[in-house]
Amino acid sequence: IATRATLRPDVALVARLGPRPQAGPERDTWEQAVGDVARYRAMWGGEAIAEGAGVSWALGAEPDGRALAHYRRAAESLRGAEVAVAAARPTAELAGERRALELTLAGGPTEGRRTTASGLRASAAERLGEARVDEERAQLRLEALEAAPRRRRNAQGVELARRSVAALAQQVAVRTHELAQAQARLAALGADAVAQRPVQEHLEVVRSALSVQAERAAARPASYIVDLLGPRPGEGAALDRWDRAVRAVEDYRHHELGLSPTDGPLDETGAERAIGQRPDDYLDSLGWDAVARQVAPDLHQALELEPPSITLEL
């Protein structure tokens, strides 16, 4: 069941997770999620809830009894795959989406934000309409080819038409999901917690994806890290402080600046080399200050000093 599902996955899963990756750990994560969903559905008959909360969009409502353990295992795989797929996107794109989602949830329903959200929904609806028209045309073409007498039927043409219909059906599923996200953003503006929940869940996926990227970057410190902090200590408290400082830098760069290690240093010397100039905005500057305290230019010369007690969740 799981193998068949990975070869011919449900269109709603692909719309949300993307197509099966070519290779690597991302493919393993994707296959695990798709297989676990298929197994759960086959064993317990879970009915997916279109654009439902949590993982109900793929697994249905949370069950009772023996099915619950299988449900939670599939849910964990599914969430992991969503984050892994998102983490493959460009850092700048993810950071921009994070800011937009946070503004939707906390910024309030101003006229400008409503206008922007309405425009995004209209664009998404237009793209969905175009995809449905393309699918209908491809379906009509396939039906015409299949209706031809057997002796005159072009087997290759029929097969290509079937593949085209399948690909366009997948495109319709993707556009449907995009429209649902746009509608959720519009509904979340100034609404109650229930209306905001889909946006909050999407924001959590985006934040987790940025954290995955930051963790990968911290595991292989870039040159601006070594220039700022010096070589990585061998062991003990100094090593722990060095690692925390590296992670703070990469968290700030990924979440706040939308920058990955490939974007390189941002200045010539000092903390600015790793995290750029201190922002003028007061609230933004608090995050910069919290990181700068950990990566001050002389930190690698005084690693035995206790780290500051002020922390900030990025």
Side-chain angles (χ1 to χ4, degrees):
I1 289 172
T3 301
R4 285 199 301 269
T6 58
L7 295 176
R8 299 188 66 181
D10 179 71
V11 292
L13 283 175
V14 179
R16 193 119 164 191
L17 300 180
R20 181 172 179 256
Q22 293 297 317
E26 290 82 8
R27 184 175 70 178
D28 295 339
T29 302
W30 188 95
E31 289 180 345
Q32 183 69 45
V34 172
D36 283 349
V37 169
R39 276 191 291 268
Y40 175 79
R41 288 175 176 175
M43 291 176 65
W44 304 104
E47 292 289 338
I49 302 172
E51 299 300 329
V55 295
S56 64
W57 64 270
L59 300 173
E62 187 173 276
D64 297 322
R66 293 189 302 149
L68 183 57
H70 293 262
Y71 183 94
R72 288 177 175 171
R73 182 163 60 247
E76 185 178 355
S77 296
L78 198 56
R79 291 191 187 100
E82 283 194 89
V83 172
V85 169
R89 293 167 54 191
T91 302
E93 181 181 303
L94 279 175
E97 187 166 12
R98 178 194 65 78
R99 287 189 290 271
L101 292 170
E102 289 178 344
L103 192 61
T104 297
L105 292 172
T110 65
E111 187 62 31
R113 291 180 188 128
R114 286 191 182 279
T115 300
T116 299
S118 297
L120 291 173
R121 183 183 62 176
S123 298
E126 182 179 355
R127 289 193 296 270
L128 174 58
E130 293 171 351
R132 283 174 172 164
V133 169
D134 291 341
E135 182 190 23
E136 290 172 3
R137 289 174 179 169
Q139 184 63 44
L140 290 174
R141 174 172 170 74
L142 173 60
E143 292 171 358
L145 290 171
E146 290 179 331
R150 185 172 295 275
R151 69 177 185 278
R152 296 173 53 192
R153 189 177 304 171
N154 184 333
Q156 183 179 10
V158 170
E159 178 59 25
L160 290 174
R162 286 174 179 165
R163 294 183 183 183
S164 178
V165 168
L168 289 169
Q170 185 61 68
Q171 187 70 1
V172 168
V174 171
R175 298 307 185 197
T176 300
H177 177 57
E178 290 176 350
L179 176 58
Q181 285 187 316
Q183 289 173 331
R185 286 197 188 188
L186 180 60
L189 283 171
D192 57 24
V194 174
Q196 291 183 347
R197 184 171 179 178
V199 178
Q200 182 64 49
E201 290 175 349
H202 187 194
L203 175 59
E204 289 171 2
V205 170
V206 171
R207 284 174 173 168
S208 296
L210 285 166
S211 293
V212 168
Q213 292 185 348
E215 183 178 1
R216 291 173 182 168
R220 301 182 64 182
S223 61
Y224 52 78
I225 294 288
V226 178
D227 292 344
L228 180 61
L229 302 177
R232 187 170 186 257
E235 59 183 10
L239 173 60
D240 293 338
R241 286 192 287 271
W242 196 92
D243 286 342
R244 286 198 300 270
V246 173
R247 184 58 191 268
V249 168
E250 293 301 352
D251 275 340
Y252 183 83
R253 285 175 64 97
H254 284 75
H255 288 262
E256 302 300 329
L257 303 181
L259 299 175
S260 68
T262 57
D263 293 299
L266 303 177
D267 211 319
E268 294 297 325
T269 59
E272 291 85 357
R273 180 171 174 78
I275 58 177
Q277 296 292 322
R278 187 175 188 270
D280 293 330
D281 181 84
Y282 173 72
L283 292 178
D284 291 340
S285 69
L286 294 179
W288 191 95
D289 289 344
V291 179
R293 290 189 186 99
Q294 297 189 63
V295 297
D298 60 346
L299 180 63
H300 65 286
Q301 299 173 0
L303 279 172
E304 295 305 318
L305 296 176
E306 287 297 320
S309 60
I310 299 176
T311 59
L312 181 68
E313 182 180 355
L314 299 178

